[in-house]
């Protein structure tokens, strides 16, 4: 039976859509402005006609990739890809193993471990920056890309609760049936639970990739040599007269993430929604 439309219902729906459109425009406008700024012909923000460039060209993108004497964007991009890629692989492996272990096995320190990680997760990460820097100095990992990879990978298992919630939704009777048939714990994980966990694997891999891909604080602290810069550090070190190069670099660095989100958003939603069912 169709609900009867009333004036108050139409007004409420109209106001809701207007508010959503206004909010969407507020978030979309800076992105649109940055994209248009990346095509500015002049190269400087001071030549803009109001909010937008007075003329457009592709020169900023050509300069970004081919004028590498002072600002080597291609090398920065490869450094970022190297760090984010290896961090993603190691972090995903560690987070999934941690979540699976806490979800499927009962051991004495299970509850205290969960409570401890939840409490530690309440503290902001920048509180540990001095300790991290001193540790990296002692291990001679300053100006080493693997130092960053180790930090990202070591801290990743702290955020295992969403993945644990997903594994909690997989019935344990499947594991018990497999054990009756002679399967080991590793075989149950690899051949039964892992194939069922595609949504949470995609979600974990994508979130593990995006953090090092866009992070600025840790690379700035640990990478001092210009050839080792990530894109975030390199762009922040551009001269103020190179604003369109900064805009072009910012737009280009966002393209891989946007493509990944478009292709994997379905699995992300499934992983997050299933992982939030149980804690």
């Amino acid at each position: 039976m169709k609900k009867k439309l009333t004036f108050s219902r139409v007004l409420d729906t109209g106001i809701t859509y207007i508010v959503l459109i206004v909010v969407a425009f507020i978030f979309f406008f800076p992105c649109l402005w940055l994209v248009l700024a990346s095509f500015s012909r002049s190269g400087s923000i001071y030549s803009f006609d109001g909010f937008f460039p007075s003329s457009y060209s592709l020169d900023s993108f050509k300069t970004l990739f081919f004028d590498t004497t002072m600002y080597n964007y291609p090398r920065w991009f490869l450094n970022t890809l190297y760090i984010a890629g290896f961090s993603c692989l190691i972090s995903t492996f560690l987070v999934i193993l941690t979540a699976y272990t806490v979800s499927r096995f009962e051991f004495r320190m299970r509850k205290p471990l969960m409570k401890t990680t939840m409490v530690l997760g309440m503290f902001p990460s920048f509180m540990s920056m001095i300790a991290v820097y001193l540790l990296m100095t002692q291990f001679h990992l300053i100006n080493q890309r693997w130092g960053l990879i180790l930090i990202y990978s070591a801290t990743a298992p702290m955020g295992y609760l969403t993945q644990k919630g997903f594994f909690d939704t997989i019935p344990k009777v499947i594991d018990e049936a497999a054990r009756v048939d002679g399967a080991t714990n590793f075989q149950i994980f690899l051949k039964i639970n892992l194939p069922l966990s595609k949504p949470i694997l995609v979600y974990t891999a994508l979130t593990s990739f995006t953090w090092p891909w866009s992070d600025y604080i840790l690379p700035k602290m640990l990478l001092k040599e210009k050839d080792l810069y990530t894109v975030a550090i390199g762009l922040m070190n551009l001269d103020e007269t190179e604003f369109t190069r900064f805009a072009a670099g910012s737009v280009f660095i966002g393209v891989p993430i946007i493509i990944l989100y478009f292709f994997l958003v379905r699995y992300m939603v499934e992983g997050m929604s299933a992982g939030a069912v149980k804690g």
Side-chain angles (χ1 to χ4, degrees), residues 30-274:
C31 300
L32 175 64
W33 180 80
L34 187 67
V35 171
L36 293 177
S38 67
F39 290 99
S40 174
R41 184 183 297 276
S42 65
S44 173
I45 193 174
Y46 300 113
S47 63
F48 282 21
D49 183 15
F51 280 109
F52 302 105
S54 55
S55 58
Y56 299 89
S57 75
L58 293 173
D59 291 344
S60 57
F61 286 93
K62 294 177 183 177
T63 304
L64 184 71
F65 288 101
F66 297 108
D67 183 12
T68 59
T69 305
M70 290 185 62
Y71 307 111
N72 197 338
Y73 184 85
R75 182 182 290 273
W76 300 341
F77 187 89
L78 291 177
N79 288 339
T80 309
L81 185 62
Y82 180 88
I83 294 170
F86 277 102
S87 299
C88 172
L89 292 175
I90 300 173
S91 298
T92 302
F93 176 75
L94 294 177
V95 172
I96 292 299
L97 283 186
T98 303
Y100 183 80
T101 301
V102 175
S103 173
R104 308 310 260 194
F105 298 100
E106 296 288 341
F107 48 93
R108 180 175 295 179
M109 293 300 295
R110 180 173 176 270
K111 291 293 184 181
L113 176 65
M114 293 177 61
K115 292 177 181 178
T116 302
T117 53
M118 289 183 67
V119 171
L120 291 176
M122 299 168 68
F123 294 94
S125 58
F126 65 82
M127 292 180 63
S128 62
M129 288 300 174
I130 296 176
V132 168
Y133 183 79
L134 292 176
L135 285 173
M136 293 297 103
T137 303
Q138 294 298 315
F139 286 107
H140 305 289
L141 290 174
I142 301 296
N143 280 326
Q144 298 289 335
R145 292 178 298 180
W146 269 101
L148 274 173
I149 294 171
L150 290 175
I151 294 174
Y152 290 131
S153 303
T155 55
M158 293 287 290
Y160 71 95
L161 287 175
T162 300
Q163 290 78 4
K164 175 193 174 296
F166 183 92
F167 285 118
D168 286 344
T169 62
I170 301 176
K172 291 186 178 181
V173 293
I174 300 176
D175 300 6
E176 295 169 1
R179 288 193 183 93
V180 171
D181 292 335
T184 63
N185 288 327
F186 181 73
Q187 289 173 329
I188 293 171
F189 170 70
L190 189 65
K191 297 183 178 180
I192 298 176
N193 287 306
L194 206 58
L196 295 173
S197 306
K198 188 175 181 180
I200 203 64
L201 284 173
V202 172
Y203 166 78
T204 305
L206 191 53
T207 52
S208 299
F209 183 83
T210 52
W211 178 29
W213 183 261
S214 58
D215 187 31
Y216 173 78
I217 298 177
L218 278 175
K220 179 64 176 176
M221 182 175 67
L222 299 180
L223 302 178
K224 307 300 182 182
E225 296 180 8
K226 205 169 185 178
D227 287 342
L228 295 174
Y229 281 179
T230 61
V231 170
I233 310 174
L235 292 178
M236 288 300 293
N237 279 274
L238 290 178
D239 190 81
E240 62 179 9
T241 59
E242 299 283 352
F243 178 76
T244 54
R245 186 189 293 209
F246 171 86
S250 301
V251 170
F252 188 81
I253 198 66
V255 169
I257 298 296
I258 293 172
I259 293 174
L260 285 174
Y261 268 98
F262 270 112
F263 279 100
L264 303 177
V265 64
R266 177 168 62 90
Y267 298 110
M268 283 193 62
V269 173
E270 291 177 8
M272 285 187 293
S273 59

